[in-house]
């Protein structure tokens, strides 16, 4: 069920939930009266509008203006579902377009509190074309480098979801809200209702977090701090190296298998905790100060290629979750690829460091990265680039997922798009290889000229086992093949791939 405190909150109650005592200043567009019974002359339409106005106290289905959420000024627009189901007509379009223009003129982020059934039937095509107006206004705001956040309430369906809601940079949902393009009366009778819920949309990678009403103001405040707008932010500092738990200081850490290289850990287990369902989003920790300058004890470099691979595959080696927890005071996950899928082995989002600096992050968790992961990575990098936020990428994968399902899901195109996003980025990107650098699936997230490596990492054109197989060498020669590939951290610096060894 929808959150009892906010499921059918009025437009102004939804605004007050976020602005609190800071207040809200309403704006109105220039009046543009409709003809009698609207553009179609729909019998009874004027009377329906009058009843809706008397019931809600509003003149239209959207209220907009300026306000402060936490310590951040923004433009807010809020749908009044009690006014003809929060539907979009011509005058609704006037208000929405004016809200976007207000954000553009004042260079403020736009926060949309959405609850709508879609386009207004009584205004026909005039109503439907308001979606084009909204899309154009949103595009102008995006081109100006200004962020858009949507909070989808119950219900959010139809064109309102497909423009103001799903078109935002960050989509937050209230628990139990009905969310989907098809409303309850127009979807197939046997459709799974979970697919049209906030939780179902989160599972499908269409919503970034499901946030209870009592945590919404704090979460939105953190998102506004992270998204900006910002100017001239410095590059993300290189994270400091973290020690391998329980490992010795010598080369015995991560001892090799009979084939001459280490066995891979159950990678990606830690990543589940880093995918927030909303409750964790915006929580603070004592971390967020970790950088290369503050590293701990220096670990020795691997003497051989086989040792480098073994150490990178050591199950005790710290993974992305540990690095992110050490690096950020606040993390705000971006969830899913917006194409119906997620990859729990790749963490994306924006974070705030202890000094308040925002940094976008893309972090592999040691598993083969799936197409959805690459699409989510490209989405994150492009968002950061548009908003002027520096990017940190953590590389750790044996390679891109190579199963049949990954091929059907467009692995090649997704990897290509990630390469393109990194190549086109204008903001500074910092890359740290924290474990396995498995061929192109890892390289797609590494930026040229600012890649660093830890002492327990490696990077290779191909995994030593696969190289040996291609060369028709016996398994006993896999370790020697690893040596030939020159994949150790010090090799990567000497070859010009990496700028430094961290730790």
């Amino acid at each position: 069920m929808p959150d009892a405190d906010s499921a059918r909150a009025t437009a102004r109650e939804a605004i007050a939930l976020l602005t609190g005592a800071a207040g809200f200043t309403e704006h109105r567009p220039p009046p543009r009266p409709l003809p009698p019974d609207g553009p179609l002359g729909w019998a009874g339409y004027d009377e329906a509008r009058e009843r809706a106005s008397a019931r809600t106290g509003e003149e239209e289905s959207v209220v907009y203006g300026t306000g402060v959420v936490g310590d951040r000024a923004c433009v807010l627009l809020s749908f009044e579902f009690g006014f003809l189901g929060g539907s979009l007509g011509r005058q609704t379009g006037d208000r929405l377009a004016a809200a976007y223009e207000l954000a553009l003129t004042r260079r403020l982020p736009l926060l949309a509190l959405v609850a709508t059934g879609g386009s207004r039937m009584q205004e026909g095509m005039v109503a439907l074309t308001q979606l084009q107006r909204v899309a154009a206004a949103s595009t102008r705001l995006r081109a100006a480098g200004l962020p858009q956040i949507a909070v989808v309430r119950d219900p959010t369906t139809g064109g309102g979801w497909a423009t103001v809601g799903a078109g935002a940079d960050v989509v937050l949902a209230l628990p139990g809200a009905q969310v989907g393009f098809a409303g309850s009366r127009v979807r197939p009778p046997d459709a799974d209702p979970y697919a049209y819920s906030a939780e179902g949309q989160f599972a499908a990678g269409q919503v970034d977090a499901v946030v209870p009403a009592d945590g919404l103001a704090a979460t939105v405040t953190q998102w506004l701090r992270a998204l900006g707008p910002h100017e001239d932010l410095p590059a993300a500092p290189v994270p400091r190296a973290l020690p391998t738990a329980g490992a010795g200081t010598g080369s015995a850490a991560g001892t090799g298998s009979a084939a001459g290289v280490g066995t891979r850990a159950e990678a990606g287990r830690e990543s589940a905790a880093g995918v927030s369902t909303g409750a964790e989003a915006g929580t603070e920790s004592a971390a967020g100060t970790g950088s290369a300058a503050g590293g701990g004890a220096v670990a020795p470099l691997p003497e051989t290629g086989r040792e480098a691979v073994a150490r990178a595959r050591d199950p005790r080696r710290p993974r992305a979750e540990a690095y992110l927890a050490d690096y950020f005071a606040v993390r705000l996950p971006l969830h899913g690829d917006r194409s119906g899928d997620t990859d729990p082995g790749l963490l994306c989002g924006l974070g705030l460091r202890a000094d308040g600096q925002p940094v976008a992050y893309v972090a592999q968790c040691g598993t083969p990265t799936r197409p959805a992961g690459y699409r989510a990575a490209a989405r994150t990098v492009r968002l950061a680039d548009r908003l002027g936020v520096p990017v940190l990428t953590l590389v750790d994968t044996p390679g891109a997922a190579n199963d049949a399902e990954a091929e059907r899901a467009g692995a090649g195109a997704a990897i290509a798009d990630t390469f393109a996003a990194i190549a086109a980025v204008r903001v500074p990107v910092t890359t740290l290889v924290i474990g396995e650098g498995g061929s192109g699936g890892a390289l797609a997230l590494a930026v040229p000229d600012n890649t660093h490596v830890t002492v327990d990492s490696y990077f290779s054109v191909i995994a030593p086992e696969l190289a040996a197989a291609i060369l028709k060498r016996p398994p006993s020669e896999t370790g020697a093949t690893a040596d030939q590939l020159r994949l150790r951290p010090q090799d990567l610096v000497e070859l010009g791939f990496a700028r430094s060894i961290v730790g």
Side-chain angles (χ1 to χ4, degrees):
M1 293 295 292
D3 191 297
D5 294 332
S6 58
R8 290 297 165 87
T10 68
R12 296 179 191 274
E13 287 170 345
I15 291 171
L17 179 67
L18 291 173
T19 60
F24 168 73
T25 302
E26 185 175 359
H27 289 242
R28 295 171 184 267
R32 202 159 61 111
L34 293 169
D37 279 331
L40 304 186
W42 188 287
Y45 180 45
D46 284 348
E47 294 178 0
R49 287 180 57 88
E50 289 171 3
R51 290 193 299 271
S53 182
R55 184 170 56 251
T56 64
E58 304 295 350
E59 298 176 356
E60 249 303 337
S61 60
V62 163
V63 174
Y64 78 97
T66 56
V68 177
V69 179
D71 56 357
R72 296 286 159 163
C74 61
V75 170
L76 298 100
L77 68 86
S78 185
F79 281 75
E80 176 53 68
F81 189 77
F83 193 102
L84 301 180
S87 57
L88 282 75
R90 195 197 73 185
Q91 291 186 335
T92 321
D94 290 344
R95 292 179 175 226
L96 291 171
Y100 282 91
E101 184 64 27
L102 181 62
L104 183 64
T105 301
R106 300 200 179 184
R107 290 204 57 79
L108 291 173
L110 181 88
L111 174 58
L113 312 176
V114 191
T116 174
S119 298
R120 192 169 297 169
M121 179 177 60
Q122 296 92 331
E123 293 191 24
M125 284 303 298
V126 172
L128 189 64
T129 56
Q130 302 310 306
L131 304 182
Q132 295 173 321
R133 292 181 70 190
V134 173
S138 175
T139 299
R140 288 192 293 272
L141 205 60
R142 188 173 292 112
L146 296 169
Q148 302 172 48
I149 302 173
V151 176
V152 292
R153 299 146 56 206
D154 182 62
T156 297
T157 61
W161 163 240
T163 52
V164 184
D169 299 316
V170 175
V171 181
L172 309 176
L174 291 172
Q178 180 188 170
V179 181
F181 186 65
S184 59
R185 296 184 182 182
V186 298
R187 67 183 64 140
D190 59 348
D192 178 8
Y194 180 73
Y196 304 86
S197 68
E199 291 75 11
Q201 296 286 4
F202 175 80
Q206 308 290 359
V207 165
D208 292 304
V210 179
V211 187
D214 59 4
L216 191 59
T219 300
V220 170
T221 298
Q222 299 288 26
W223 270 114
L224 290 171
R225 289 172 180 166
L227 293 172
H230 304 290
E231 293 184 6
D232 300 324
L233 292 176
V238 180
R240 63 185 172 192
L242 301 180
T244 296
T249 58
S251 60
T255 53
S257 67
V261 295
T263 57
R264 186 166 293 115
E266 288 286 331
R269 297 274 184 182
E270 301 89 339
S271 66
V275 181
S276 171
T277 59
E280 296 111 287
T283 56
E284 298 193 23
S285 72
T289 58
S291 64
V298 177
L301 291 169
E303 296 180 2
T304 64
R306 71 193 77 188
E307 183 190 338
V309 174
R311 286 169 62 171
R313 294 177 180 175
D314 188 337
R316 298 167 296 177
R317 174 183 58 77
R319 270 29 185 205
E321 181 63 36
Y323 276 95
L324 294 175
D326 183 67
Y327 193 80
F328 289 112
V330 176
R331 271 188 292 155
L332 301 158
L334 289 169
H335 180 71
D337 66 353
R338 293 300 188 265
S339 295
D341 203 359
T342 64
D343 180 0
L346 187 131
L347 306 180
C348 294
L350 274 76
L352 296 170
R353 289 177 52 76
D355 61 1
Q357 179 184 351
V359 174
Y361 63 86
V362 177
Q364 293 171 315
C365 297
T367 56
T369 303
R370 305 201 64 78
Y374 291 112
R375 286 191 288 266
R379 172 198 170 204
T380 302
V381 170
R382 290 191 172 109
L383 174 62
D385 189 42
R386 180 159 49 81
L387 299 179
V389 178
V391 178
L392 170 70
T393 64
L394 300 180
V395 172
D396 184 11
T397 179
N402 58 5
D403 55 274
E405 182 57 36
E407 291 298 332
R408 283 190 290 267
I415 295 169
D417 194 43
T418 306
F419 270 116
I422 293 288
V425 73
R426 296 160 296 178
V427 296
V429 180
T430 303
T431 296
L432 180 63
V433 185
I434 62 172
E436 293 194 80
S439 195
L443 189 66
L445 294 182
V447 65
D449 302 325
N450 197 25
T451 290
H452 307 261
V453 293
T454 64
V455 295
D456 46 9
S457 69
Y458 78 88
F459 220 117
S460 179
V461 65
I462 190 171
E465 297 89 344
L466 299 179
I470 291 172
L471 296 171
K472 299 182 179 180
R473 295 176 177 177
S476 60
E477 294 187 25
T478 301
T481 304
D483 294 338
Q484 282 185 292
L485 286 168
R486 295 199 64 194
L487 46 71
R488 301 173 303 166
Q490 58 268 46
D491 295 324
L492 300 174
V493 172
E494 291 174 7
L495 291 170
F497 171 77
R499 289 183 61 179
S500 74
I501 299 171
V502 177

